[in-house]
Amino acid sequence: MMGTSILSIPWGIKQAGFTLGILILIFTGLLMLYCCYIVLKSPKAIHFSATLLQLRSTRQLSVTYVDTSDWEFPDVCRYYFGKFGQWSSLVFSMVSLIGAMVVYWVLMSNFLYNTGQFIYNYAHNASVSNSQFGTNGSDKVICPYPNTDPGGNVTIVALYLGNSANDTSDVSTFEHWWSKTNTVPFYLVILLLPLLCFRSASFFARFTFLGTISVIYLIALVTLKAVRLGFHLEFHWFDPSQFYVPEFRLLFPQLTGVLTLAFFIHNCIITLMKSNRHQENNVRDLSVAYLLVGLTYLYVGVLIFVAFPSPPLSKDCIEPNFLDNFPSSDVMVFVARTFLLFQMITVYPLLGYLVRVQMMGQIFGNHYPSFFHVLALNVLIVGAGVLIAKFYPNIGSIIRFSGATCGLALVFVFPALVHMISLRRQGLLRWPSVLFHSFLILLGVANLLAQFFM
């Protein structure tokens, strides 16, 4: 569940306001947990459903059993809503998976660029320092786009040791061939496109433990940075300054969009829980998972937000990827980027495999119809990642739009409708349940619409 969205949580809290951001994170996590619980229980609700039939001579209970042992949530949607439910759930599942792959491509381009920049600077004895407007000390914090800072308080200048013409020529040549948006996204194609064409993704599944290591390292990094930077919060309600920290902002739907994808596991939770040895503990384990993920998001988001040095900078400088607020010369951040880059290189083919299995299985009835079918699909996916990384590398917006879109169907609408229909067939549906689950559907619609106005 916990993927790249963790990097955007501090930015989301900034958009919502400090207090409101914390409340929204907790509230959204609870809602997502409940909807995921509905999805997890939906196959059993079909399997054990009973319909009362009014017969001519006598009343008796006719129980209809359906084998749902191999069902996924799209199959549940097909059972209740026919072909429309099956195909619409597939489309929204593709939105979430391909959206995640696009975010991965943008982040991999970012991490690869900064890793190459660090290695180049180290090999050429080059140093990067802040100008008079930057923060001082060993733990420097930067504002990559100073125009977003109301105080205009930071500018980054690269100082290269050595003044010969050859040095200047080498730097310009390196910048020409090592550009975050113009060249690096295309270099990834050479590595990742062949990996996507593997028939099986079992080899890459062996490296999923790197995700746990990356999260642990990120938590350690955030903790150390917060200790060194200290806390910077100024709550001036009646006399706000340019460094005033708002507790409530109207841009809060941007955080709800990010959190919808950050807590999203609904399209594969049934498959994951099938491997649980003690099926009676599924609800408990699911709740513990959401608790741990929510606490991690809360810890990272709050610490980065409160430790961001304001003054001299402004909280508005916090980037959708909070690692971008540290210079490429930062060794600890360099290690984090390297960890995350290698992890994403191994996870990206897994996501592509899920896309292939779901899409090819539905369309052709075969997960690997032919090499050329798979190649064409992978070229389209990779092309989308390259184009976004080149022209719109804003992971915050990508995450919130894809999260709100897939969340509308797979988190709010379909689970709520499935639950109400199941209760109605069992004769257990009551008005409070109708009102609550209808409210969930309205929340999903509002969450998506709000992304276009914020």
Side-chain angles (χ1 to χ4, degrees):
M1 189 196 314
M2 184 162 24
T4 57
S5 301
I6 192 174
L7 301 175
S8 298
I9 298 298
W11 172 81
I13 292 178
K14 175 199 75 173
Q15 299 299 85
F18 183 63
T19 302
L20 183 60
I22 295 175
L23 295 176
I24 287 178
L25 197 154
I26 297 173
F27 178 72
T28 304
L30 292 174
L31 280 183
M32 297 286 286
L33 169 60
Y34 176 72
C35 294
C36 196
Y37 163 78
I38 294 176
V39 173
L40 181 62
K41 289 294 185 181
S42 59
K44 287 188 177 181
I46 295 174
H47 183 75
F48 295 106
S49 65
T51 305
L52 287 175
L53 299 178
Q54 185 74 30
L55 301 180
R56 291 183 179 179
S57 57
T58 182
R59 295 183 179 182
Q60 64 182 25
L61 183 64
S62 176
V63 184
T64 304
Y65 291 100
V66 180
D67 183 11
T68 60
S69 57
D70 296 327
W71 281 26
E72 305 296 339
F73 193 59
D75 299 310
V76 175
C77 294
R78 180 185 59 192
Y79 176 82
Y80 284 107
F81 309 112
K83 288 291 185 180
F84 170 78
Q86 178 185 4
W87 286 100
S88 57
S89 62
L90 174 66
V91 169
F92 286 105
S93 180
M94 291 298 100
V95 169
S96 65
L97 290 172
I98 296 177
M101 295 183 74
V102 169
V103 171
Y104 268 48
W105 200 276
V106 174
L107 287 174
M108 287 188 293
S109 301
N110 182 306
F111 296 151
L112 181 60
Y113 169 79
N114 283 286
T115 301
Q117 191 74 46
F118 177 90
I119 296 173
Y120 179 86
N121 290 342
Y122 182 81
H124 290 77
N125 195 25
S127 62
V128 178
S129 65
N130 290 348
S131 71
Q132 58 183 345
F133 298 112
T135 59
N136 298 319
S138 57
D139 292 281
K140 297 176 182 178
V141 178
I142 67 175
C143 188
Y145 305 101
N147 290 335
T148 63
D149 181 3
N153 289 310
V154 97
T155 303
I156 305 304
V157 178
L159 302 179
Y160 292 92
L161 304 180
N163 298 318
S164 66
N166 289 334
D167 292 334
T168 305
S169 175
D170 290 342
V171 172
S172 61
T173 302
F174 174 75
E175 292 177 347
H176 175 74
W177 291 105
W178 196 257
S179 170
K180 183 186 293 187
T181 58
N182 294 329
T183 59
V184 173
F186 293 93
Y187 296 156
L188 288 171
V189 177
I190 302 173
L191 172 64
L192 292 174
L193 184 57
L195 298 182
L196 285 176
C197 295
F198 280 25
R199 181 178 292 270
S200 173
S202 58
F203 172 77
F204 304 102
R206 301 172 185 174
F207 297 95
T208 53
F209 70 94
L210 291 173
T212 304
I213 297 177
S214 300
V215 170
I216 293 174
Y217 184 82
L218 276 179
I219 293 174
L221 172 66
V222 167
T223 303
L224 183 59
K225 291 294 183 182
V227 170
R228 291 181 177 179
L229 293 171
F231 289 175
H232 302 269
L233 291 175
E234 293 190 14
F235 297 103
H236 300 295
W237 287 13
F238 303 104
D239 185 24
S241 66
Q242 65 178 358
F243 305 111
Y244 163 69
V245 177
E247 298 189 67
F248 306 93
R249 297 184 68 180
L250 293 178
L251 296 176
F252 69 89
Q254 297 186 7
L255 175 59
T256 61
V258 169
L259 291 176
T260 306
L261 193 62
F263 285 112
F264 184 74
I265 196 70
H266 301 61
N267 61 339
C268 57
I269 188 61
I270 298 176
T271 301
L272 290 176
M273 286 301 189
K274 284 178 182 177
S275 61
N276 198 348
R277 181 178 301 175
H278 303 285
Q279 290 293 306
E280 68 275 9
N281 296 331
N282 279 352
V283 176
R284 182 203 66 185
D285 295 344
L286 180 66
S287 302
V288 171
Y290 265 87
L291 174 64
L292 294 176
V293 171
L295 290 176
T296 305
Y297 287 157
L298 198 61
Y299 183 83
V300 172
V302 170
L303 271 192
I304 288 293
F305 184 88
V306 301
F308 194 85
S310 173
L313 306 181
S314 167
K315 301 291 187 184
D316 285 333
C317 280
I318 298 177
E319 288 293 299
N321 173 8
F322 74 82
L323 293 179
D324 286 343
N325 287 116
F326 299 96
S328 58
S329 57
D330 192 311
V331 177
M332 290 191 64
V333 177
F334 162 75
V335 174
R337 287 171 173 145
T338 305
F339 260 125
L340 289 169
L341 175 61
F342 188 70
Q343 177 210 351
M344 291 180 182
I345 288 176
T346 58
V347 173
Y348 188 84
L350 288 175
L351 295 176
Y353 176 77
L354 292 176
V355 172
R356 182 210 312 167
V357 167
Q358 293 188 24
M359 184 173 293
M360 296 296 184
Q362 290 288 347
I363 297 176
F364 300 103
N366 188 343
H367 297 167
Y368 203 99
S370 73
F371 173 78
F372 294 103
H373 285 84
V374 173
L375 179 63
L377 174 63
N378 293 335
V379 167
L380 291 176
I381 296 173
V382 168
V386 171
L387 291 176
I388 295 297
K390 178 175 175 57
F391 296 106
Y392 192 71
N394 187 334
I395 66 166
S397 295
I398 301 170
I399 289 175
R400 68 186 181 94
F401 275 105
S402 59
T405 302
C406 70
L408 172 64
L410 299 180
V411 175
F412 297 105
V413 175
F414 282 149
L417 290 178
V418 164
H419 186 67
M420 287 191 289
I421 294 174
S422 176
L423 290 179
R424 183 175 179 273
R425 291 183 177 182
Q426 300 176 52
L428 301 176
L429 184 61
R430 301 294 182 266
W431 278 110
S433 179
V434 172
L435 293 176
F436 175 73
H437 292 92
S438 299
F439 176 68
L440 288 182
I441 296 175
L442 291 178
L443 279 182
V445 175
N447 184 33
L448 178 59
L449 294 179
Q451 306 306 318
F452 296 94
F453 298 100
M454 297 295 176

Short mmCIF file of all heavy atoms in Angstrom, two decimals, residues 82 105 129 134 180 207 217 230 237 257 324 335 370 420:
data_model
loop_
_atom_site.label_atom_id
_atom_site.label_comp_id
_atom_site.label_asym_id
_atom_site.label_seq_id
_atom_site.Cartn_x
_atom_site.Cartn_y
_atom_site.Cartn_z
N GLY A 82 -23.10 -6.78 -14.07
CA GLY A 82 -22.95 -7.28 -15.42
C GLY A 82 -21.67 -6.82 -16.08
O GLY A 82 -20.67 -6.49 -15.42
N TRP A 105 7.86 6.67 -13.29
CA TRP A 105 8.78 7.12 -14.34
C TRP A 105 9.29 8.53 -14.04
O TRP A 105 10.49 8.81 -14.22
CB TRP A 105 8.09 7.10 -15.69
CG TRP A 105 9.06 7.06 -16.84
CD1 TRP A 105 9.68 8.12 -17.41
CD2 TRP A 105 9.53 5.90 -17.52
NE1 TRP A 105 10.52 7.70 -18.42
CE2 TRP A 105 10.44 6.34 -18.50
CE3 TRP A 105 9.26 4.54 -17.40
CZ2 TRP A 105 11.09 5.45 -19.35
CZ3 TRP A 105 9.92 3.66 -18.25
CH2 TRP A 105 10.82 4.12 -19.21
N SER A 129 26.63 25.34 -3.60
CA SER A 129 26.41 26.11 -2.38
C SER A 129 25.26 27.07 -2.56
O SER A 129 24.87 27.40 -3.68
CB SER A 129 27.68 26.89 -2.01
OG SER A 129 27.97 27.86 -3.00
N GLY A 134 20.14 31.63 0.87
CA GLY A 134 19.90 30.25 1.21
C GLY A 134 20.10 29.94 2.69
O GLY A 134 20.55 30.78 3.47
N LYS A 180 17.26 16.66 -16.74
CA LYS A 180 16.20 15.98 -16.00
C LYS A 180 14.98 15.70 -16.87
O LYS A 180 14.31 14.67 -16.69
CB LYS A 180 15.79 16.80 -14.78
CG LYS A 180 14.75 16.13 -13.90
CD LYS A 180 14.27 17.04 -12.78
CE LYS A 180 15.36 17.33 -11.79
NZ LYS A 180 14.84 18.08 -10.60
N PHE A 207 12.64 -8.82 -5.07
CA PHE A 207 13.25 -7.60 -4.56
C PHE A 207 12.25 -6.68 -3.86
O PHE A 207 12.57 -5.54 -3.55
CB PHE A 207 13.90 -6.82 -5.71
CG PHE A 207 15.02 -7.56 -6.38
CD1 PHE A 207 14.78 -8.31 -7.52
CD2 PHE A 207 16.30 -7.52 -5.86
CE1 PHE A 207 15.80 -9.01 -8.14
CE2 PHE A 207 17.34 -8.20 -6.48
CZ PHE A 207 17.10 -8.95 -7.62
N TYR A 217 14.59 3.57 5.86
CA TYR A 217 15.64 4.59 5.67
C TYR A 217 15.03 5.98 5.59
O TYR A 217 15.59 6.95 6.13
CB TYR A 217 16.45 4.29 4.42
CG TYR A 217 17.61 5.25 4.23
CD1 TYR A 217 18.81 5.06 4.91
CD2 TYR A 217 17.49 6.36 3.40
CE1 TYR A 217 19.86 5.94 4.76
CE2 TYR A 217 18.54 7.25 3.24
CZ TYR A 217 19.72 7.04 3.93
OH TYR A 217 20.76 7.93 3.78
N GLY A 230 15.46 21.35 13.59
CA GLY A 230 14.58 21.88 14.63
C GLY A 230 13.18 22.13 14.08
O GLY A 230 12.89 21.92 12.90
N TRP A 237 -2.32 34.21 14.44
CA TRP A 237 -3.68 34.28 13.93
C TRP A 237 -4.11 35.69 13.57
O TRP A 237 -4.78 35.92 12.57
CB TRP A 237 -4.65 33.71 14.97
CG TRP A 237 -4.58 32.22 15.08
CD1 TRP A 237 -3.62 31.41 14.58
CD2 TRP A 237 -5.53 31.38 15.74
NE1 TRP A 237 -3.88 30.11 14.89
CE2 TRP A 237 -5.05 30.04 15.60
CE3 TRP A 237 -6.71 31.60 16.43
CZ2 TRP A 237 -5.73 28.96 16.12
CZ3 TRP A 237 -7.38 30.52 16.95
CH2 TRP A 237 -6.90 29.21 16.80
N GLY A 257 -7.07 13.97 -2.61
CA GLY A 257 -6.76 13.24 -3.83
C GLY A 257 -5.49 12.41 -3.67
O GLY A 257 -5.43 11.25 -4.11
N ASP A 324 13.23 16.78 -3.17
CA ASP A 324 13.70 17.87 -4.03
C ASP A 324 14.03 19.12 -3.23
O ASP A 324 14.61 20.07 -3.79
CB ASP A 324 12.64 18.21 -5.09
CG ASP A 324 12.56 17.16 -6.18
OD1 ASP A 324 13.52 16.36 -6.30
OD2 ASP A 324 11.55 17.12 -6.90
N VAL A 335 21.81 8.78 -0.89
CA VAL A 335 21.60 7.36 -0.57
C VAL A 335 20.11 7.01 -0.68
O VAL A 335 19.74 5.97 -1.21
CB VAL A 335 22.14 7.04 0.83
CG1 VAL A 335 21.79 5.61 1.22
CG2 VAL A 335 23.64 7.26 0.89
N SER A 370 0.81 -12.65 -27.42
CA SER A 370 1.97 -12.74 -28.29
C SER A 370 2.97 -11.67 -27.88
O SER A 370 2.62 -10.72 -27.16
CB SER A 370 1.59 -12.55 -29.77
OG SER A 370 1.29 -11.19 -30.04
N MET A 420 -24.66 -2.30 -0.25
CA MET A 420 -26.10 -2.06 -0.10
C MET A 420 -26.93 -3.12 -0.81
O MET A 420 -27.95 -3.58 -0.28
CB MET A 420 -26.45 -0.66 -0.62
CG MET A 420 -25.99 0.47 0.30
SD MET A 420 -26.66 2.10 -0.16
CE MET A 420 -25.74 2.43 -1.66
#
